[in-house]
Amino acid sequence: MPDRQKDRLQGSLFIISAPSGAGKTTLCNAVLEYFPDMRYSISYTTRKSRAGEQDHIDYHFISKGEFKKGIESDRWAEWAEVHGNYYGTSAEFIARELSAGKDILLDIDIQGTMQILKRFPGSITIFIMPPSVDILRKRLEKRDTDSEAVIERRLQNAEAEMTQKGRYRHLIINDRLEVAKKELIDLIATYRH
Ligand code: 5GP
């Protein structure tokens, strides 16, 4: 079946990736507020929750043991190890929502994006860039939720991730938040109408 025809029967997958600190969470929330019928795929992670994060809302926080069992039982549509922790997307959630005709927003890293693209080649991939690494460092420091060592690791990872941006279909630079929000919503709207 041609992709377009299939997309009309099934929902579409919108994948957003960005180095941490690029403003992705705020942008994803703006998208979900604007399109209330869109579903957000709440990832499973073995990372500890940060201050202010809520279990089953921001992430499903699970143990490494449970995560690894999930790998064996094909529970994840994709999974990756990021900054020393495991992150995965529920295969069951994706299958259920897509077949109900719902569009899904995924906030996953590049490793996960490549896996999803193999299974769902029609997915719309969007990479959010910070204006510069310096600004990214300042944002991470201001967030004050991670230790210096963790920030360094995230920055190194961010630089590596940014070299992969060409693998995404769309690129949005989050220089001014309000502008980036509008750009992202307008972009998603072109696929949804
Ligand atoms: P954080 O720990 O800052 O919330 O997320 C770290 C990284 O993991 C981000 O790049 C985020 O997009 C990615 N991530 C979050 N959930 C998933 C997931 O389910 N799968 C994959 N592959 N990456 C994820």
Side-chain angles (χ1 to χ4, degrees), residues 150-168:
V150 170
I151 290 179
E152 276 315 314
R153 188 148 52 132
R154 284 177 184 274
L155 278 171
Q156 276 172 17
N157 204 44
E159 288 189 64
E161 277 177 337
M162 285 194 273
T163 66
Q164 304 289 311
K165 61 180 186 289
R167 301 173 84 168
Y168 285 73

Side-chain angles (χ1 to χ4, degrees), residues 119-182:
R119 285 199 190 190
F120 305 97
S123 305
I124 297 112
T125 55
I126 305 163
F127 194 88
I128 313 278
M129 288 274 285
S132 72
V133 175
D134 259 6
I135 291 179
L136 190 62
R137 177 189 293 277
K138 289 205 182 95
R139 285 184 189 165
L140 285 176
E141 285 169 354
K142 208 169 113 197
R143 191 156 79 176
D144 206 23
T145 50
D146 300 312
S147 68
E148 216 165 285
V150 170
I151 290 179
E152 276 315 314
R153 188 148 52 132
R154 284 177 184 274
L155 278 171
Q156 276 172 17
N157 204 44
E159 288 189 64
E161 277 177 337
M162 285 194 273
T163 66
Q164 304 289 311
K165 61 180 186 289
R167 301 173 84 168
Y168 285 73
R169 208 191 287 186
H170 300 282
L171 187 63
I172 288 180
I173 298 174
N174 184 9
D175 187 358
R176 286 195 296 142
L177 185 63
E178 288 312 312
V179 177
K181 257 188 208 173
K182 185 172 183 321

Side-chain angles (χ1 to χ4, degrees), residues 30-141:
V31 168
L32 294 168
E33 208 172 290
Y34 193 86
F35 302 107
D37 59 320
M38 247 179 134
R39 297 284 188 261
Y40 178 68
S41 165
I42 301 172
S43 294
Y44 288 73
T45 185
T46 62
R47 137 161 114 56
K48 294 218 163 57
S49 63
R50 296 195 190 110
E53 281 182 333
Q54 284 177 277
D55 197 10
H56 309 302
I57 292 179
D58 298 292
Y59 281 105
H60 300 286
F61 295 100
I62 61 170
S63 68
K64 274 202 173 150
E66 187 180 346
F67 197 97
K68 285 186 178 160
K69 261 192 222 150
I71 297 175
E72 280 156 28
S73 62
D74 271 342
R75 183 174 170 192
W76 314 125
E78 63 73 32
W79 67 271
E81 199 180 340
V82 187
H83 311 131
N85 294 301
Y86 290 103
Y87 295 81
T89 299
S90 160
E92 193 249 316
F93 175 85
I94 300 293
R96 186 181 66 227
E97 297 300 331
L98 283 185
S99 59
K102 300 293 181 194
D103 289 346
I104 305 176
L105 184 66
L106 292 142
D107 163 355
I108 59 175
D109 84 327
I110 180 153
Q111 307 169 69
T113 303
M114 294 305 129
Q115 294 171 51
I116 294 284
L117 278 175
K118 273 194 200 138
R119 285 199 190 190
F120 305 97
S123 305
I124 297 112
T125 55
I126 305 163
F127 194 88
I128 313 278
M129 288 274 285
S132 72
V133 175
D134 259 6
I135 291 179
L136 190 62
R137 177 189 293 277
K138 289 205 182 95
R139 285 184 189 165
L140 285 176
E141 285 169 354

